[in-house]
Amino acid sequence: MTLASGPAAVPFFLPVDGGQRFCLFHPAVGDCRGAVLYVHPFAEELNRSRRMAALQARALAAQGYGVLQIDLHGCGDSSGDFGDARWETWRRDLASAHAWLDTRLAQPITLLGLRLGAALALDFARTAAKAPARIVLWQPALSGPSVLAQFLRLRVANDMLSGGDTRLGTAALRAALARGETLEIAGYDLHPELAQAIDALDAALLTPHKIPVHWFELATAPDRPLTAAASSTVERWRRARVLVQARQVVGQPFWSTQEITECPALVAATCEAIQEPVDAV
């Protein structure tokens, strides 16, 4: 897939309390119709999804949406170390980015979150000073304990391959975090406070009341059903009167593949969703 033509993205550092965050702003082509704030996923998934994030941002900009990408505290080119990052500082980063977009464009803002970034977007939306117009979720990771367990297993696997102490399973690593120890996992220092915040995430507590949601899951075939966990959460939100539309898109999990992977169908479906009237969800 080729990048859509249009103005080049504008890099800048957004001042925040205690540092600055690296941002890329994609100006809208022609009259501005809205704004989008992209919330990246966790750890290495951020790097593996940069190509798709860029494709999506350029496609939306070509259709008249200003798109802001921000590297959260301790991530990418932003200030701070990953080991200093906390869930709360990431929420404050989103508040700063949201305010910047609102001041610059004065347009309805859509939150677009991938994996753990989707959970962060939902959490931020609950207490945002100005509610987003809609939320788009890409393969949301809404079970905090599962996310943490998956990340800890990377450390276990690395210890096994390197001949380290194989007795340190995920239970032992959780115990170390509970004692306040910072763990090095796959090149990332995981602080116990951040681990605790992730472990406490529960989709049931992130219901986006009064905010329309587009939920996208990737599948190997168009007729595959949503996962049981996704279906359960979507139904629970609908019972809470949330306008949520869930769709399957055929594509590879680009945030985890070894090679840079694109999913043009997801880019197209996301553009279509964001152009829909809010009450059409």
Side-chain angles (χ1 to χ4, degrees), residues 249-280:
V249 175
V250 176
Q252 298 296 315
F254 53 86
W255 57 89
S256 63
T257 55
Q258 291 298 318
E259 302 294 331
I260 300 300
T261 304
E262 300 176 1
C263 183
L266 181 60
V267 173
T270 301
C271 285
E272 179 182 341
I274 291 178
Q275 291 181 77
E276 288 183 4
V278 170
D279 58 4

Side-chain angles (χ1 to χ4, degrees), residues 193-210:
E193 289 184 19
L194 179 58
Q196 183 180 23
I198 294 173
D199 205 26
L201 283 174
D202 182 348
L205 303 179
L206 299 175
T207 306
H209 296 289
K210 300 181 180 180

Side-chain angles (χ1 to χ4, degrees), residues 235-256:
E235 289 306 313
R236 184 165 57 241
W237 287 2
R238 285 174 175 163
R239 288 197 297 272
R241 300 183 181 280
V242 178
L243 296 175
V244 53
Q245 187 173 112
R247 307 179 192 178
Q248 293 274 50
V249 175
V250 176
Q252 298 296 315
F254 53 86
W255 57 89
S256 63

Side-chain angles (χ1 to χ4, degrees), residues 54-268:
L55 287 171
Q56 187 65 72
R58 294 292 295 272
L60 286 168
Q63 296 186 2
Y65 294 86
V67 182
L68 182 64
Q69 297 175 250
I70 179 173
D71 286 352
L72 300 170
H73 181 202
C75 301
D77 292 319
S78 286
S79 61
D81 295 327
F82 191 87
D84 298 325
R86 303 289 186 274
W87 191 260
E88 186 54 37
T89 62
W90 287 351
R91 289 205 311 182
R92 290 201 293 268
D93 287 351
L94 292 187
S96 297
H98 192 274
W100 185 89
L101 261 181
D102 190 38
T103 299
R104 184 181 179 95
L105 300 182
Q107 293 283 343
I109 297 175
T110 294
L111 298 179
L112 167 59
L114 169 61
R115 302 281 292 150
L116 194 65
L120 180 61
L122 287 164
D123 194 25
F124 164 71
R126 293 186 309 117
T127 57
K130 188 174 184 179
R134 64 166 63 79
I135 301 174
V136 177
L137 307 175
W138 279 0
Q139 202 82 19
L142 300 181
S143 169
S146 295
V147 172
L148 183 61
Q150 183 179 16
F151 195 55
L152 294 179
R153 281 196 288 271
L154 295 177
R155 168 67 180 268
V156 174
N158 184 69
D159 287 344
M160 292 179 65
L161 292 172
S162 62
D165 189 349
T166 57
R167 296 172 300 173
L168 296 179
T170 57
L173 296 176
R174 282 180 177 275
L177 289 168
R179 292 193 298 270
E181 297 178 20
T182 294
L183 300 180
E184 190 282 321
I185 301 175
Y188 296 88
D189 288 333
L190 178 64
H191 193 279
E193 289 184 19
L194 179 58
Q196 183 180 23
I198 294 173
D199 205 26
L201 283 174
D202 182 348
L205 303 179
L206 299 175
T207 306
H209 296 289
K210 300 181 180 180
I211 304 174
V213 174
H214 289 271
W215 179 313
F216 291 102
E217 296 264 340
L218 296 191
T220 55
D223 56 349
R224 295 292 297 272
L226 287 175
T227 63
S231 297
S232 175
T233 301
V234 168
E235 289 306 313
R236 184 165 57 241
W237 287 2
R238 285 174 175 163
R239 288 197 297 272
R241 300 183 181 280
V242 178
L243 296 175
V244 53
Q245 187 173 112
R247 307 179 192 178
Q248 293 274 50
V249 175
V250 176
Q252 298 296 315
F254 53 86
W255 57 89
S256 63
T257 55
Q258 291 298 318
E259 302 294 331
I260 300 300
T261 304
E262 300 176 1
C263 183
L266 181 60
V267 173

